[in-house]
């Protein structure tokens, strides 16, 4: 017997085709159902339509089996041999036949269900016809001998038995209905042996949250689209960031930063003319405190600022030369942040109590790396753009999810959009990408770090050591190689042209001990007064 909640479908098939039985001038059907061992039901309908008439059958593939629940069937391989057509669209199988005898074939998935302890095959071998069927013959073949059969005929929902239904010789099912009015159905349920076929019935929620978030073919396509979108995003990032990855992974060739002029003097020349503050921004795509600190040191090395140690815990910055056109925009901003117009000298301790606005430094430095063609757009603007785009997509997805859930629509679509937005927002940090020139510079910076690791005072003529040491020092600061670089040259006894001590002569040994304290103190003042980290 069939369960009341599922009494909506069943089927039959016969071993040998036979002509439909019916009175002359009437429509008759012979339906043969065969259940395969894999759970697929193959259906063959032989239908005779009188001359001058047509017959149309619309089979719903989504049938209500309870409150807010539908049983769903999948039909494939629909075809007609004869005078007619068979199509599957929008949860319906439509069969349209003209006069003559036609053979309709299709395959159904979802007809086998586990009802309690019983395995059951269900299908409607006749339903949805727009004309009276004078006679319908049904036969069913199952992998193992069927255990029971229940055949109902009449309007949907009625329990009127078919004209006849039996197990035949025990190897199949046979049923007959004489006179089936238009719009009525024959519903066959066949009890199966355990293991005869896998249960493949699919029941979906039609309302409420469960239905809204049910995985349907449409939402499955949406999820597939999300996967494609994410893979496309990864491919885009791989393309944009690939140059950087190759620059970081490749072997670093020799980078010659020591050049000899026609007079034989040795000088330091950075790769692609990159300045210390620019190095940090190109490497990590952010403007950091250390970039500004390295720039202050570089301004002193280039004779714009004099740095003097005062006591054990303080240092003085004094104006040596005015800012001129040789300085880039961000260097001029750093110079004016430390020594504003009208101020000729200032103690580091005094800067600690004065608010330094480094917003201009940040903006000028980002604009500078774009102007130098190391980035296409400002890294911070690129990150911000994709962050806000991601949040907007998340908001759109959340609103869509809630709205669709309230109307029992496919809310999973909105969830998919929200997840995509989260991916965009999280991926914003990786969106800034260097140009080819920027990626090449990144590799050269690795070579510059190698120079700071391997250079020796003996590589440089004695008369040029102070200058080469000084010009290289700001790059050591920004690349985190300060102590190593100081240790390499600490044995020298000569003073420095850009750094002094108020109460004693300067030697490189003491400078090497005290300079890291100066760098740390300046970092702290700039971070506290300028709030630079919050501006990244």
């Amino acid at each position: 017997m069939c369960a009341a909640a599922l009494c909506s479908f069943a089927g039959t098939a016969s071993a040998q085709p036979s002509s439909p039985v019916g009175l002359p001038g009437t429509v008759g059907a012979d339906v043969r159902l065969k259940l395969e061992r894999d759970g697929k039901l193959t259906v063959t309908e032989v239908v005779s339509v009188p001359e001058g008439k047509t017959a149309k059958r619309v089979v719903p593939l989504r049938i209500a089996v309870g409150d807010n629940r539908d049983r769903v069937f999948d039909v494939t391989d629909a075809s007609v041999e004869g005078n007619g057509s068979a199509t599957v669209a929008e949860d319906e199988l439509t069969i349209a036949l003209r006069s003559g005898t036609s053979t309709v074939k299709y395959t159904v998935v979802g007809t086998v269900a586990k009802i309690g302890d019983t395995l059951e095959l269900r299908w409607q071998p006749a339903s949805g016809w727009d004309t009276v069927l004078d006679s319908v013959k049904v036969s069913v073949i199952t992998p193992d001998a069927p255990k029971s059969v229940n055949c109902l005929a009449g309007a949907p929902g009625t329990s009127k038995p078919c004209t006849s239904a039996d197990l035949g010789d025990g190897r199949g099912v046979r049923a007959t209905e004489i006179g089936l009015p238009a719009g009525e159905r024959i519903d066959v349920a066949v009890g199966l042996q355990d293991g005869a076929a896998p249960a493949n019935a699919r029941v979906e929620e039609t309302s409420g949250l469960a239905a809204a978030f049910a995985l349907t073919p449409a939402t499955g396509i949406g999820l597939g689209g999300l996967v494609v979108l994410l893979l496309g995003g990864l491919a885009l990032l791989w393309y944009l960031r690939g140059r950087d990855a190759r620059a970081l992974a490749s072997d670093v060739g020799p980078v010659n930063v020591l050049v000899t002029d026609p007079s034989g003097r040795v000088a330091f020349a950075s790769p692609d003319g990159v300045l210390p503050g620019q190095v940090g921004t190109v490497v990590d795509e952010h403007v950091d405190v250390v970039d500004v600190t390295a720039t202050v040191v570089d301004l002193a090395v280039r004779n714009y600022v004099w740095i003097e140690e005062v006591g054990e815990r303080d240092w003085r910055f004094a104006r040596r030369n005015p800012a001129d056109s040789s300085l880039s925009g961000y260097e001029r901003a750093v110079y004016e942040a430390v020594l504003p117009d009208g101020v000729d000298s200032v103690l580091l301790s005094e800067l600690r109590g004065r608010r330094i606005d480094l917003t201009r430094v940040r903006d000028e430095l980002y604009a500078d790396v774009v102007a130098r063609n190391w980035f296409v757009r400002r890294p911070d603007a690129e990150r911000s753009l994709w962050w806000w785009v991601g949040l907007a997509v998340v908001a759109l997805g959340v609103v869509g999810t809630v709205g669709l859930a309230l109307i029992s629509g496919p809310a999973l679509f909105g969830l998919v959009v929200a997840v995509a937005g989260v991916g965009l927002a999280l991926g914003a940090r990786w969106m800034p990408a260097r140009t080819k020139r920027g990626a090449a510079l990144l590799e050269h910076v690795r070579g510059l770090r190698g120079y700071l690791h391997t250079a020796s005072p003996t590589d440089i003529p004695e008369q040029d050591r102070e200058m080469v040491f000084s010009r290289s020092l700001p790059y050591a600061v920004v690349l985190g190689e300060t102590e190593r670089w100081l240790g390499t040259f600490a044995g020298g006894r000569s003073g420095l042209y850009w750094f002094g001590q108020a109460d004693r002569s300067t030697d490189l040994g003491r400078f090497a001990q005290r300079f890291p304290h100066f760098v740390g103190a300046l970092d702290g003042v700039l971070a506290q007064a300028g709030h630079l980290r919050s501006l990244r």
Side-chain angles (χ1 to χ4, degrees), residues 52-390:
K53 292 188 177 182
T54 62
K56 183 177 180 180
R57 181 186 182 194
V58 178
V59 184
L61 302 181
R62 179 179 290 271
I63 305 299
V65 294
D67 293 339
N68 303 327
R69 300 172 72 233
D70 285 351
R71 184 164 176 180
V72 181
F73 299 85
D74 297 316
V75 170
T76 59
D77 304 325
S79 64
V80 175
E81 297 176 4
N83 197 13
S85 62
T87 58
V88 180
E90 299 182 356
D91 294 328
E92 286 184 346
L93 166 64
T94 302
I95 301 170
L97 304 176
R98 293 183 291 277
S99 60
T101 299
S102 300
T103 301
V104 183
K105 296 181 179 180
Y106 53 91
T107 301
V108 188
V109 175
T111 60
V112 181
K114 191 74 173 179
I115 309 297
D117 296 331
T118 302
L119 195 64
E120 184 179 77
L121 164 69
R122 303 189 59 78
W123 184 243
Q124 291 183 356
S127 65
W129 286 103
D130 65 353
T131 186
V132 175
L133 298 184
D134 179 66
S135 174
V136 181
K137 294 171 58 179
V138 181
S139 61
V140 185
I141 296 176
T142 57
D144 299 324
K147 298 169 61 175
S148 63
V149 60
N150 183 39
C151 181
L152 303 176
T158 65
S159 56
K160 173 180 171 292
C162 298
T163 303
S164 66
D166 58 69
L167 297 178
D169 56 6
R171 300 180 62 183
V173 170
R174 293 178 301 183
T176 302
E177 177 65 16
I178 304 299
L180 184 70
E184 297 191 359
R185 95 304 187 213
I186 296 176
D187 192 352
V188 174
V190 178
L192 303 174
Q193 301 284 347
D194 290 340
N200 57 12
R202 180 158 61 96
V203 177
E204 293 182 357
E205 300 289 339
T206 58
S207 64
L209 289 178
F213 291 97
L215 182 61
T216 65
T219 53
I221 293 173
L223 290 174
L226 172 61
V227 172
V228 172
L229 178 64
L230 293 179
L231 291 178
L234 289 175
L236 177 62
L237 284 175
W238 177 86
Y239 173 75
L240 294 176
R241 306 290 295 199
R243 291 187 296 265
D244 299 346
R246 288 189 292 273
L248 292 172
S250 61
D251 294 333
V252 179
V255 176
N256 186 16
V257 297
L258 298 180
V259 296
T260 304
D261 63 20
S263 66
R265 300 297 298 270
V266 175
F268 172 87
S270 64
D272 201 11
V274 66
L275 297 169
Q278 297 166 342
V279 167
T281 306
V282 170
V283 169
D284 66 8
E285 303 166 353
H286 292 90
V287 176
D288 298 306
V289 165
V290 69
D291 303 335
V292 182
T293 298
T295 300
V296 172
V297 176
D298 193 49
L299 290 174
V301 169
R302 290 158 59 196
N303 280 319
Y304 287 97
V305 176
W306 168 260
I307 301 176
E308 182 179 42
E309 184 176 4
V310 179
E312 294 292 326
R313 297 185 178 181
D314 208 352
W315 292 264
R316 176 180 288 110
F317 301 98
R319 189 186 303 270
R320 175 170 275 186
N321 286 298
D324 55 27
S325 59
S326 298
L327 296 181
S328 66
Y330 87 89
E331 288 178 310
R332 184 184 295 272
V334 172
Y335 185 99
E336 294 174 357
V338 176
L339 293 170
D341 290 340
V343 177
D344 290 328
S345 68
V346 64
L347 291 172
L348 182 60
S349 58
E350 294 174 342
L351 292 178
R352 185 175 287 109
R354 189 180 82 197
R355 179 175 178 82
I356 301 176
D357 186 4
L358 295 178
T359 304
R360 181 185 165 204
V361 175
R362 179 204 62 181
D363 292 340
E364 291 283 359
L365 189 45
Y366 277 136
D368 200 53
V369 295
V370 173
R372 294 293 299 271
N373 196 29
W374 292 322
F375 289 90
V376 176
R377 286 175 292 276
R378 287 179 49 152
D380 61 331
E382 193 85 356
R383 283 188 296 270
S384 179
L385 170 65
W386 287 102
W387 167 259
W388 287 110
V389 168

Side-chain angles (χ1 to χ4, degrees), residues 391-403:
L391 290 186
V393 173
V394 170
L396 179 64
V398 170
V399 172
T401 300
V402 173

